[in-house]
Amino acid sequence: MKILAFAGSTSSTSINKELVKFVLKDFQDHEINLIDLNDFDMPVFSVDREKKGFPDEAHRFLKVIEECDAIICSLAEHNRSYSAAFKNVFDWASRINVKVFQSKPMLLMSTSPGGYGGGNVMNTAKTFFPQFGADVKQTFSLPKFYENFDIESGVIDPLMRKDLKDKISSFKAQINN
Ligand SMILES: Cc1cc2nc3c(=O)[nH]c(=O)nc-3n(C[C@H](O)[C@H](O)[C@H](O)COP(=O)(O)O)c2cc1C
C-alpha cells in the first residue's frame, strides 16, 4: 500500500512534519512518499495567472495523490486557518480537479504550540476536505506541541499517545479493508 504523507507547512523546522514522521513509524511496512510542500512552490494563485496555464507543480501534486492509496497529513495553523503555502497548492490543484484528494482515505492531523493544537484549521479541514474528495477516516490534534512531543520518542502524554495510537490502528484497519 502506498502512503502519501505531508505537512501543511513549508517551515524547515515544521512541527507538523515531526508529527507526521512520528506517525509514519507505524507504517514502515508500507511504501511511503513523504513530500515537502517546498517542492510544490508556485506563484500565488489568481484567476489572471490561471489564464496563462497551470504550473507543472499543481499537476504533480494531483499526480502524487492519484498514485497513493492513503494520505497522512498534518496541517499548520496560521491565523486560525491553512498556511498560505498549503492553501496555494490546494487552490491551484482544486482548479484542475475539484476532487483534489481523489477519494483517498485520510488520517488528518494538526498541531501547534498553542492549547488548541491547530483546532481551527482542523475544524475547517475536517468539515470541508470531504467536498474536495477526501475520505477523512481519522482526525487527531496535538495541543502544546513543545510540551507534549519529544523528537526522539514522539507524543509524551500517555492519554494523548494512546488516543493517537488507537486512531492509527483504526486507520490501518480501515485502509486494509
Ligand atoms: C503567521 C502565523 C500565524 C499563526 N497563527 C496561529 C494560529 O492561528 N493558531 C495557532 O495555534 N498557531 C498559530 N501560529 C503558530 C504556529 O502554529 C506555529 O508557527 C507552528 O510551528 C506552525 O506549524 P509548522 O511548524 O508545522 O509550520 C501562527 C504562526 C504564524 C507564523
Side-chain angles (χ1 to χ4, degrees), residues 9 11 13-17 76-81 111-114 118 146:
S9 165
S11 167
T13 56
S14 171
I15 60 177
N16 284 278
K17 192 174 239 185
E77 179 170 306
H78 281 180
N79 297 329
R80 309 296 184 253
S81 190
T111 190
S112 85
Y146 293 105

Side-chain angles (χ1 to χ4, degrees), residues 71-138:
I71 301 170
I72 295 172
C73 63
S74 188
L75 300 178
E77 179 170 306
H78 281 180
N79 297 329
R80 309 296 184 253
S81 190
Y82 306 118
S83 70
F86 172 75
K87 185 66 163 48
N88 197 43
V89 176
F90 187 38
D91 284 352
W92 274 112
S94 71
R95 297 292 284 182
I96 300 170
N97 180 1
V98 73
K99 300 292 181 191
V100 174
F101 300 108
Q102 301 168 61
S103 306
K104 306 295 167 133
M106 178 183 283
L107 168 55
L108 173 65
M109 300 185 290
S110 67
T111 190
S112 85
Y116 200 31
N120 297 293
V121 71
M122 167 60 77
N123 285 339
T124 302
K126 87 175 164 198
T127 304
F128 296 113
F129 272 12
Q131 294 178 11
F132 298 92
D135 180 8
V136 179
K137 299 287 194 193
Q138 300 291 332

Side-chain angles (χ1 to χ4, degrees), residues 10 36-43 55 57-58 60 88-89 92:
T10 44
D36 186 327
L37 293 192
N38 284 298
D39 296 328
F40 296 84
D41 192 28
M42 289 176 256
E57 290 81 2
R60 204 152 49 76
N88 197 43
V89 176
W92 274 112

